[in-house]
């Protein structure tokens, strides 16, 4: 193990910041801090976990990030993972002032991830050692590559990672298979009506006996957890392939709260770094000023020099909302909201008209020529556009609806919920991935641009 | 936590963390996949490229990053988003400057988007192409071969010292001593074995390809570029087959000149077209330098098809003469307008040749994408013919 390369001065100040945080009411699991080189920071950000399974798609993201980074678009200060203990990675290039800010920020995240309901439920199910679990998945995949070859493992990962958003967070990580038989019909109640009914036509009553057990349809209801469904019901899936699907699925359950609470979580951490720093009278004056400058860069809504931003900075929005809530209703109310909400309810319930006006939020639309028009500032419209990408883990609502006798898997896209059809070309490609592991044809029902129902399938020659 | 900024020169702690440079590893794997993808779409990928810059061993192919596909909703007819700043309903903000409403921190939902260059070895490409297009190897002419070569064949008890086969001799000695008494001599003259050589007729493995191009005023730059790309891949294909491949480049208008490879592709002429001038030049060069008994002779002629009708008889005669000597004559018609395919003066010349049962073929192209069809057409035809 490397020696954590963190400034000695910082080590001295850490307990004092933690003390401030505890006094302010933050409740968090202990956090392990580690300073890591920038290249490693970038990998963590790209993979979403410090050590994660290999897949070429991460390489694409990595290079895109690297190019953006080299072109000077962004800089990462920290990445933090919930758990017990939590893990925080600080960029080795951070100055002392930046690290003080970052530490306070990390404690805010740690408080959030220990108390927010979605995080708690996910950690109860996945366990609070996601960093270690992901590393063990990575090892599992590496071993599968050794045993079965890169090509075969890659085919499985292509499919599993393409479906990574398709889990059902309303059900648990550990799920039983569907019952094999339909529930038996309840015995007719022993009352006067039933007796008279049976006496009416004894033949009919006898015929009704039939075989008691009937096989249940698979799936018995539209199944949204595609990773689980394929892992359990793909006709010829091998054991190691199933394990890969389940590994990806487990990580998805971990990623879900991260996705579903981004505005709240970043806002919460930003609120706390600003507040703890204000209260940290032990900081050298220069460091305080530097840290506050860094803070204003991070929560800056609009890039320097611009008047208008087409997009919102979640740090800024979340930060402004938490300040507003604390000022309006007090810290207890804020903590309750932090524990119970996700971004959808948070934005809908807490982003009010005054704040939206103060933040100068507006809805815009782009026409075919690419010119952008400011459309409205109506609060409900703003809510819906902001939370739109948050529904259903940011993915179209797709469920496994039926398995035909020949093994063909039918997927149904709930276009009524999503408001429009699914991207045809991409869908065909994903169906190709899935077909390689399902090993039977796979079909997707959706609508075309005119709202007519269509069924997509993979091209015949891909088999 | 992250922020936008414009400078980034940070110290890095190398070493331990480099042990798992997973980003780089997965990027390399991605590149391998791109190579595979490019390989299976090779003709499309490289047809348009400027591949012929003077004896290059590699070419660079611009490729896009691969996308790992997810289910996604169709793009809305009117993309929308929430923005922030001093603007009121009705304002027009102009086209979004590069950063649409995707926000940040998502970590790559918008995969890719960058173009980059991958370098391929021309040799590899030719190998792949031949596999991919299932192109047969060309038939060398055997019947008329006059080339002979010494090859090893059998052993004898007599021969020059230099051809002593020690392993065989030792084996003979062991065999003999196995049946003789223990004190028999280790080697006798009878044990010795010498390799024998014998003369054998070899098919000629030398080949010469004539690239004849019409550079008259009617051939546009683009036509020339098309012809040039086709020639390039034809040479590569032929080089694959023959150990010694000579290439001769001839350009003609109303006159004809021989060029070296580099100049040939730069040459531009003006004035009319007399095909027979070019063909006669080729005929001359064959007689002067390439004995058809020892060389496999190929001719590829690229033209837009126009030829002075007064030249018809001359051109026919010259072409017949060449056809009698050559393994194969191919005619490539290049024109921007595909409608008049091979319905030209030159097209008629080669058609007559093919009708007469000579190994000749014609193909018309108007786009870079057609080059592969042309290569396939000529090479398959040649192999079957």
């Amino acid at each position: 193990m490397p020696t954590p390369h963190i400034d000695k001065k910082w080590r001295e100040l850490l307990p004092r910041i933690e003390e401030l945080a505890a006094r302010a009411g933050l409740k968090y699991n202990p956090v392990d801090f580690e300073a890591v080189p920038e290249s490693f920071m970038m990998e963590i950000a790209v993979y979403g976990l410090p050590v994660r399974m290999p897949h070429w798609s991460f390489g694409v993201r990595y290079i895109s990030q690297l190019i953006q980074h080299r072109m000077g678009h962004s800089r990462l200060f920290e990445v933090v993972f919930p758990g017990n203990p939590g893990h925080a990675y600080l960029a080795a290039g951070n100055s002392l002032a930046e690290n003080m800010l970052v530490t306070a920020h990390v404690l805010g995240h740690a408080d959030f991830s220990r108390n927010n309901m979605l995080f708690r439920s996910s950690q109860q199910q996945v366990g609070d050692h996601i960093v270690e679990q992901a590393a063990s998945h990575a090892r599992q995949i590496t071993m599968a590559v050794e045993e079965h070859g890169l090509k075969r493992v890659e085919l499985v990962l292509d499919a599993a990672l393409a479906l990574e958003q398709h889990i059902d967070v309303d059900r648990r990580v550990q799920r039983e298979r569907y019952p094999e038989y339909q529930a038996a019909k309840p015995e007719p109640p022993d009352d006067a009506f039933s007796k008279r009914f049976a006496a009416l036509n004894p033949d009919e009553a006898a015929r009704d006996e039939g075989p008691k057990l009937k096989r249940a349809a698979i799936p018995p209801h539209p199944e949204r957890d595609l990773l689980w469904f394929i892992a359990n019901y793909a006709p010829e899936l091998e054991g190691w392939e199933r394990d890969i699907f389940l590994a990806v699925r487990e990580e998805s359950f971990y990623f879900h709260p991260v996705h579903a609470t981004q505005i709240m979580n970043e806002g919460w951490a930003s609120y706390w770094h600003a507040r703890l720093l204000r209260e940290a009278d032990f900081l050298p004056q220069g460091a305080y000023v530097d840290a506050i400058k860094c803070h204003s860069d991070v929560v800056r809504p609009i890039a320097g020099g611009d008047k208008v931003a087409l997009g919102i900075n979640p740090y800024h929005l979340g930060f402004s909302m938490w300040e507003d809530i604390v000022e309006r209703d007090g810290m207890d109310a804020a903590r309750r909201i932090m524990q119970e909400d996700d971004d959808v309810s948070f934005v809908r319930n807490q982003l009010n008209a005054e704040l939206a006006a103060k933040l100068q939020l507006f809805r815009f639309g782009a026409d075919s020529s690419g010119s952008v028009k400011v459309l409205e500032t109506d609060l409900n419209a703003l809510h819906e556009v902001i939370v739109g990408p948050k529904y259903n883990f940011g993915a179209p609502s797709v469920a496994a609806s039926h398995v035909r006798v020949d093994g063909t898997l039918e997927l149904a896209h709930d276009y009524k919920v999503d408001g429009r059809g699914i991207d045809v070309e991409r869908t065909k490609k994903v169906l190709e991935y899935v077909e390689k592991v399902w090993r039977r044809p796979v079909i997707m029902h959706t609508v075309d641009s005119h709202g007519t129902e269509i069924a997509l399938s993979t091209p015949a020659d891909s088999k | 936590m992250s922020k936008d900024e414009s400078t980034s020169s940070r110290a890095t702690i190398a070493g331990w963390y480099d042990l798992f440079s997973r980003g780089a590893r997965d990027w390399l794997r991605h590149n391998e996949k791109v190579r595979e993808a490019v390989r299976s779409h090779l003709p499309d990928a490289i047809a348009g490229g400027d591949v012929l810059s003077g004896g290059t061993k590699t070419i660079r192919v611009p490729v896009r990053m691969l996308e790992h596909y997810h289910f996604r909703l169709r793009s809305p007819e009117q993309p929308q988003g929430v923005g922030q700043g001093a603007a009121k309903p009705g304002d027009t903000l102009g086209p979004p400057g590069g950063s649409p409403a995707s926000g940040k921190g998502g970590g790559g939902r918008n995969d890719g988007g960058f173009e980059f260059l991958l370098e391929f070895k021309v040799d590899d490409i030719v190998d792949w192409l031949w596999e991919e297009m299932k192109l047969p190897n060309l038939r060398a002419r055997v019947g008329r071969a006059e080339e002979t070569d010494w090859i090893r064949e059998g052993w004898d008890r007599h021969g020059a010292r230099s051809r002593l086969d020690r392993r065989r001799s030792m084996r003979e000695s062991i065999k003999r001593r196995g049946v003789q008494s223990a004190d028999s001599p280790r080697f006798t003259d009878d044990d010795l074995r010498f390799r024998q050589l014998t003369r054998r007729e070899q098919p000629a493995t030398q080949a010469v390809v004539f690239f004849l191009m019409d550079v008259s005023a009617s051939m546009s730059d683009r036509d020339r570029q098309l012809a040039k790309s086709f020639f390039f891949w034809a040479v590569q294909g032929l080089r694959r087959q023959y150990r010694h491949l000579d290439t001769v480049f001839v350009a003609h208008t109303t006159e004809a000149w021989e060029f070296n490879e580099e100049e040939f592709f730069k040459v531009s002429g003006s004035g009319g077209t007399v095909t027979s001038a070019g063909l006669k030049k080729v005929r001359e060069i064959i007689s002067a330098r390439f004995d058809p008994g020892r060389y496999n002779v190929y001719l590829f002629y690229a033209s837009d098809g126009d030829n002075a009708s007064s030249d018809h008889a001359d051109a026919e005669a010259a072409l017949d003469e060449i056809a009698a000597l050559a393994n194969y004559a191919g005619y490539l018609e290049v024109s921007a307008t595909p409608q008049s395919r091979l319905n030209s003066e030159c097209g008629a010349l080669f058609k007559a040749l093919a009708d007469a049962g000579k190994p000749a073929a014609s193909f018309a192209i108007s786009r870079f994408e057609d080059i592969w069809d042309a290569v396939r057409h000529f090479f398959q035809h040649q192999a079957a013919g």
Side-chain angles (χ1 to χ4, degrees), chain B residues 20 27 37 170 265 276 279 282 293:
Chain B
F20 34 32
W27 171 244
M170 176 60 88
F265 288 121
S276 65
L279 292 171
V282 170

Side-chain angles (χ1 to χ4, degrees), chain B residues 75-110:
Chain B
S75 313
E77 272 133 49
Q78 196 199 38
Q80 57 167 1
V82 166
Q84 190 170 5
K88 53 187 188 308
D91 286 2
T92 302
L93 301 174
S99 61
S102 61
K104 59 169 188 166
R109 289 296 311 280
N110 292 328

Side-chain angles (χ1 to χ4, degrees), chain A residues 383-396:
Chain A
H383 284 168
E384 290 320 298
V385 177
I386 294 174
V387 302
K390 295 285 176 178
Y391 291 124
N392 196 41
F393 214 159

Side-chain angles (χ1 to χ4, degrees), chain A residues 2 34 36-38 40 43 47 50-52 54-56 59-63 72-75 77-78 93 102 105 150 154 158 161-162 165-166 297 300-301 308-311 315-316 359-366 370 372-375 396 413 420-423 426 429-430 433 444 447-449, chain B residues 1-6 8 10-13 16-18 20-27 29-30 33 36 65-96 99-105 107-109 111-112 114:
Chain A
E34 192 176 338
V36 298
E38 212 141 340
F40 189 67
E43 287 184 350
Y47 286 76
V51 179
R52 201 179 175 198
H55 188 251
W56 60 269
V60 174
R61 291 190 209 167
Y62 177 72
I63 280 307
H73 287 317
S74 66
R75 184 181 147 205
F77 291 102
E78 52 75 37
V102 163
H105 189 88
L150 179 62
E154 206 166 63
D158 281 352
L161 286 172
Q165 295 146 296
H166 297 273
D297 284 346
R300 169 173 70 180
V308 171
L310 294 179
Y315 291 82
H316 174 73
L359 298 178
Q360 297 183 301
L361 300 182
F362 57 82
R363 183 171 81 88
F364 65 85
V372 170
K373 215 165 187 174
V374 178
L375 297 174
H413 170 226
R420 58 180 189 270
I422 208 166
D423 182 302
R426 286 198 172 86
K429 300 282 189 187
V430 179
Y433 298 150
M444 168 78 83
V447 287
D448 65 11
S449 53
Chain B
M1 188 165 87
S2 69
K3 75 163 187 183
D4 293 345
E5 70 164 23
S6 48
S8 62
R10 298 267 147 189
T12 55
I13 313 165
W16 191 74
Y17 291 96
D18 288 345
F20 34 32
S21 176
R22 296 153 297 141
R25 175 201 61 199
D26 287 349
W27 171 244
R29 174 62 195 139
H30 163 268
K33 284 183 74 73
E36 285 164 20
M65 286 187 192
L66 298 179
E67 179 180 344
H68 183 228
Y69 299 98
H70 291 69
F71 290 136
R72 216 178 274 178
L73 291 184
R74 248 197 350 259
S75 313
E77 272 133 49
Q78 196 199 38
Q80 57 167 1
V82 166
Q84 190 170 5
K88 53 187 188 308
D91 286 2
T92 302
L93 301 174
S99 61
S102 61
K104 59 169 188 166
R109 289 296 311 280
D111 295 345
F114 296 102

